[in-house]
Amino acid sequence: MGQIRVLDQNMINMIAAGEVIERPASVVKELVENSIDAGATKITVTVEDGGRKLISITDNGCGMDADDLAQAFEPHTTSKIKASSDLLGISTLGFRGEALASIASIAQVRVVSRTKDSTGANCVEIDCGNKSGLSPCSADYGTTIQVRDIFYKLPARRKFLKTANTEMGHITEQFTRIALANENLDLTLIRNGKELYRLSDKDDLRRRITELFPMSSSDISENLIEAESGEKGLHVHTLMGKPLISRTNNRFQYVFLNGRFIRDKFISHAIKEAYRGLLEPGRFPVVFLFIKMRFEDYDVNVHPTKIEVRFYNSNLVHSQILGALREKLLGTNLEMPGRLPEMQYGESTLRHSPPVRDHRIADAMAEFFRKHRPVQMQQQLGFRPSAPGKVHAVSREKTAQYDKKYLQIHDSFIVAQTEDGFVIIDQHALHERIIYEDLCRRIRKNKLQSQRLLIPESFEVTVSGAEALKTNAELTDKLGIELVPFGPRTMAVQAFPTLLSGVQPLDFIQDLIDLLDRKEAGLDAERLLDEVLNMAACKAAIKAGQKLTESEIEQLLADRQNAESASRCPHGRPTTIKFSIGDLEKQFKRT
Ligand code: ADP
Ligand code: MG
């Protein structure tokens, strides 16, 4: 007798649930999405024991009448699509008609729902697929769905649930995504009877971000740059974190497509590219990206949890997002604000004193400094007294050296006065950026100018090295490097770029071969060229520990003004840290 059986419907639902409902957070996501699709403006999520004991969602949406309520928990039932052609332009969050059936097959579920124009509500209960009859009850319009003891008949799945805290973390993340995508919703999250979030529909996006990320809010919401673009049926609105609030992972990249949180490799790549050279390797930007496009221009029917989509014109999406973000980032001053050290005096005693005493001591100290310091300082440093609140002018005769308004320290950093404070510049990093931009500009127009070496310099080359140089002959030509074979395993450099005159040709070629060898696989020509220019800039730039003449420093400061994004070196490290006079005045208790 044959072994193959048709599975009963509940088994089918349980198996489907395996795909859609991974953990309590998936239940929250599916149910809140249903509430949004039902037109709710106010949604309350209540969770107990990380969602393992109870998940309850209440909305003020359109509700379900008795017929729909009886139908909604059957497999493959939906009100959102009717014909296969509807699949070509899905405007709702749900459409697969499997969430409610899946949830009801793996937990105890109770639903109460009432449509706006009916006088009474209806209730239905389902215990792991066993449905009760409908019973009338009283309730406000809208829908409440309670889900208890998830996976309680599936010990293997239940065992995979993590601690209440971890599951709550996942739920909070789902809630955060929904809250970011739906500014216009009143949203509340209650955990074990305590309100975690109450978000008002009056909040704007920045306010919402502040409320959703309370620990890191001050640095996140204060360091976001806004950009908007709309072309070719694609509207992009973004709040981008400045490099100084970058993270070690990409958890803070929130991408929404028509209100749906998505993960997409093209978009992630565009974001990464937009920040190229502005972030150190291994750092990820904070980005909130909202995309609006025609529903017909992408397919959401790709993944059971609908977190992936397929764009019909992914190149357009990539290039437009990259363009919008990059343009804004390059046009923004991204200098790192310096952090002033804590004041040293009496810090350890102050920490343990009661707050009132803290203030009194601090006030007395400030008073002391106010009275005594300016006189001594003026004598020592030749400051001329001037009106309070104004920046002190420097006396010409006594301190001619300060007139330059810059200073090289430890042969590595330059301290320079600016209009409203001063900056500390990493001389190597800044010079590297300047040369890099110069190289990019020139090479975009033409190949680099080169000069012939008086005596060609020869070098030994491995078979793979020679191969790498041969494959990239166009690149070396563009750089203005002329190479000729000199023997079976020897080559010679005949000409070398003028701009890199300070660099040892052989040293450069060796590193170039290594780079070409390493990067052979999977780098497009543009990226490869970029890496080579990075390397060239690094080699040609003045080094840390190199004493600079006044004119060299002045040149560097002048070039800094003209650089496109002088605040970061090509590898993304900061070149400049700035301090404002306001910070100094605060620190010295002048204000
Ligand atoms: P889908 O969302 O893919 O349509 P679901 O299984 O999630 O499938 O829901 C089935 C149907 O139940 C929905 O199409 C909708 O008509 C109805 N429904 C679900 N939740 C609600 C709700 N909160 N308010 C009103 N109707 C709902
Ligand atoms: Mg749904």
Side-chain angles (χ1 to χ4, degrees):
M1 201 179 138
Q3 299 292 313
I4 300 177
R5 309 251 173 292
V6 175
L7 293 174
D8 71 37
Q9 193 54 56
N10 202 38
M11 282 291 278
I12 294 174
N13 294 349
M14 280 161 93
I15 290 168
E19 280 191 325
V20 189
I21 307 301
E22 191 194 346
R23 55 184 356 135
S26 335
V27 174
V28 172
K29 172 182 183 282
E30 292 296 335
L31 295 185
V32 177
E33 286 188 352
N34 278 345
S35 298
I36 295 173
D37 283 344
T41 56
K42 188 171 164 35
I43 302 168
T44 302
V45 181
T46 304
V47 177
E48 280 175 28
D49 191 25
R52 300 188 300 186
K53 196 163 157 216
L54 171 75
I55 297 165
S56 170
I57 316 276
T58 297
D59 69 48
N60 63 351
C62 65
M64 286 174 272
D65 64 15
D67 289 346
D68 278 350
L69 195 53
Q71 188 72 2
F73 289 85
E74 297 303 317
H76 311 299
T77 51
T78 179
S79 57
K80 299 171 194 174
I81 49 174
K82 295 191 169 63
S84 62
S85 58
D86 292 343
L87 277 175
L88 301 176
I90 290 163
S91 60
T92 47
L93 292 167
F95 62 91
R96 299 170 59 103
E98 56 184 11
L100 290 188
S102 297
I103 294 167
S105 74
I106 50 110
Q108 285 188 348
V109 178
R110 180 169 193 273
V111 193
V112 173
S113 194
R114 198 192 111 191
T115 58
K116 223 171 193 168
D117 44 10
S118 106
T119 47
N122 290 296
C123 169
V124 67
E125 289 187 23
I126 305 132
D127 181 3
C128 288
N130 291 320
K131 191 155 69 173
S132 74
L134 241 58
S135 56
C137 62
S138 75
D140 214 347
Y141 72 85
T143 303
T144 293
I145 303 190
Q146 293 173 321
V147 178
R148 289 178 201 278
D149 298 325
I150 182 172
F151 299 138
Y152 84 100
K153 279 195 183 163
L154 297 166
R157 296 290 303 278
R158 181 118 184 145
K159 216 170 63 198
F160 272 102
L161 293 183
K162 300 283 190 296
T163 63
N165 273 344
T166 305
E167 295 301 338
M168 194 62 212
H170 289 288
I171 290 173
T172 311
E173 177 61 21
Q174 289 297 345
F175 181 85
T176 300
R177 293 173 185 177
I178 288 162
L180 288 169
N182 298 278
E183 266 175 80
N184 54 342
L185 290 187
D186 247 345
L187 287 168
T188 305
L189 178 58
I190 296 168
R191 169 203 199 173
N192 301 338
K194 279 214 196 92
E195 210 173 86
L196 265 190
Y197 296 102
R198 174 180 286 274
L199 306 173
S200 153
D201 59 353
K202 312 273 180 316
D203 293 346
D204 67 359
L205 189 55
R206 278 181 196 260
R207 172 97 201 107
R208 205 153 256 210
I209 291 172
T210 309
E211 297 205 21
L212 286 167
F213 303 101
M215 287 100 53
S216 33
S217 66
S218 62
D219 63 325
I220 289 192
S221 57
E222 283 165 23
N223 286 296
L224 293 173
I225 312 166
E226 192 160 2
E228 198 150 4
S229 91
E231 270 171 54
K232 300 184 189 141
L234 182 70
H235 182 265
V236 179
H237 173 220
T238 172
L239 288 174
M240 289 177 280
K242 293 185 185 168
L244 83 126
I245 55 162
S246 67
R247 305 277 149 161
T248 51
N249 58 48
N250 66 358
R251 256 206 56 215
F252 281 76
Q253 277 174 29
Y254 288 95
V255 178
F256 302 94
L257 172 61
N258 291 337
R260 185 192 303 279
F261 176 89
I262 57 161
R263 289 231 180 270
D264 181 82
K265 60 180 194 303
F266 287 102
I267 297 177
S268 303
H269 184 264
I271 295 175
K272 191 166 157 224
E273 282 294 285
Y275 278 84
R276 182 143 60 89
L278 300 174
L279 287 179
E280 294 153 58
R283 303 292 300 184
F284 295 84
V286 172
V287 174
F288 302 95
L289 182 67
F290 303 86
I291 307 165
K292 291 222 154 33
M293 66 196 289
R294 284 170 7 119
F295 301 115
E296 292 78 11
D297 289 343
Y298 62 92
D299 184 4
V300 281
N301 190 15
V302 179
H303 192 272
T305 65
K306 298 159 282 182
I307 197 169
E308 284 171 27
V309 299
R310 197 179 290 124
F311 291 109
Y312 295 131
N313 189 348
S314 45
N315 284 340
L316 173 75
V317 174
H318 183 272
S319 68
Q320 198 162 318
I321 291 173
L322 171 57
L325 270 60
R326 183 88 181 153
E327 191 178 319
K328 188 72 190 181
L329 282 168
L330 291 183
T332 307
N333 181 359
L334 298 173
E335 274 165 8
M336 291 280 277
R339 272 193 215 105
L340 286 170
E342 289 296 315
M343 282 301 252
Q344 293 295 306
Y345 55 80
E347 202 199 351
S348 55
T349 46
L350 286 179
R351 202 177 296 140
H352 306 292
S353 329
V356 186
R357 213 167 107 79
D358 271 1
H359 278 131
R360 255 191 280 133
I361 295 175
D363 287 350
M365 294 287 249
E367 180 65 12
F368 172 84
F369 278 99
R370 197 178 58 74
K371 276 194 188 142
H372 300 279
R373 190 195 43 200
V375 186
Q376 293 165 359
M377 294 280 280
Q378 282 156 24
Q379 284 164 358
Q380 277 173 13
L381 299 176
F383 279 118
R384 229 192 274 141
S386 66
K390 265 197 187 163
V391 178
H392 286 296
V394 176
S395 149
R396 279 197 163 273
E397 317 74 48
K398 287 188 189 160
T399 53
Q401 56 174 10
Y402 287 98
D403 256 357
K404 293 179 302 190
K405 307 242 164 64
Y406 59 75
L407 177 71
Q408 187 188 28
I409 57 173
H410 294 279
D411 293 344
S412 297
F413 299 97
I414 294 161
V415 183
Q417 182 174 316
T418 59
E419 216 162 277
D420 63 344
F422 68 94
V423 289
I424 304 179
I425 292 168
D426 177 334
Q427 64 188 37
H428 171 72
L430 175 62
H431 197 214
E432 199 179 358
R433 162 59 73 175
I434 289 167
I435 296 178
Y436 168 78
E437 287 190 7
D438 194 18
L439 288 169
C440 288
R441 248 190 316 269
R442 285 168 196 263
I443 217 155
R444 225 176 285 139
K445 284 199 206 119
N446 214 326
K447 65 184 218 177
L448 293 184
Q449 207 184 36
S450 61
Q451 64 191 23
R452 292 199 90 69
L453 303 186
L454 282 178
I455 308 157
E457 291 192 36
S458 62
F459 59 96
E460 299 255 314
V461 62
T462 60
V463 177
S464 75
E467 197 53 42
L469 285 175
K470 207 164 124 197
T471 330
N472 293 284
E474 208 178 316
L475 176 80
T476 44
D477 180 56
K478 241 186 148 162
L479 290 169
I481 298 175
E482 208 178 295
L483 297 169
V484 285
F486 212 62
R489 295 193 45 196
T490 317
M491 293 183 93
V493 198
Q494 270 189 324
F496 200 65
T498 326
L499 262 183
L500 304 183
S501 59
V503 178
Q504 284 291 329
L506 291 192
D507 180 38
F508 182 85
I509 305 268
Q510 195 48 59
D511 283 4
L512 178 67
I513 293 172
D514 286 350
L515 186 95
L516 296 178
D517 239 1
R518 243 183 314 125
K519 299 285 171 171
E520 195 58 45
L523 255 196
D524 60 44
E526 201 185 324
R527 284 301 304 271
L528 184 63
L529 176 65
D530 191 65
E531 293 236 1
V532 173
L533 296 185
N534 264 333
M535 181 183 87
C538 181
K539 285 184 174 297
I542 45 177
K543 304 285 178 291
Q546 193 173 330
K547 192 161 203 62
L548 301 181
T549 63
E550 279 182 17
S551 66
E552 282 170 330
I553 296 176
E554 277 159 18
Q555 184 65 52
L556 197 59
L557 293 176
D559 289 345
R560 176 170 173 266
Q561 299 301 325
N562 299 328
E564 207 175 310
S565 59
S567 62
R568 299 267 159 176
C569 82
H571 311 290
R573 287 191 299 276
T575 64
T576 307
I577 299 174
K578 70 168 176 189
F579 293 85
S580 77
I581 201 81
D583 290 342
L584 291 182
E585 282 174 345
K586 232 187 268 161
Q587 194 77 356
F588 283 112
K589 309 272 178 206
R590 277 175 173 276
T591 50

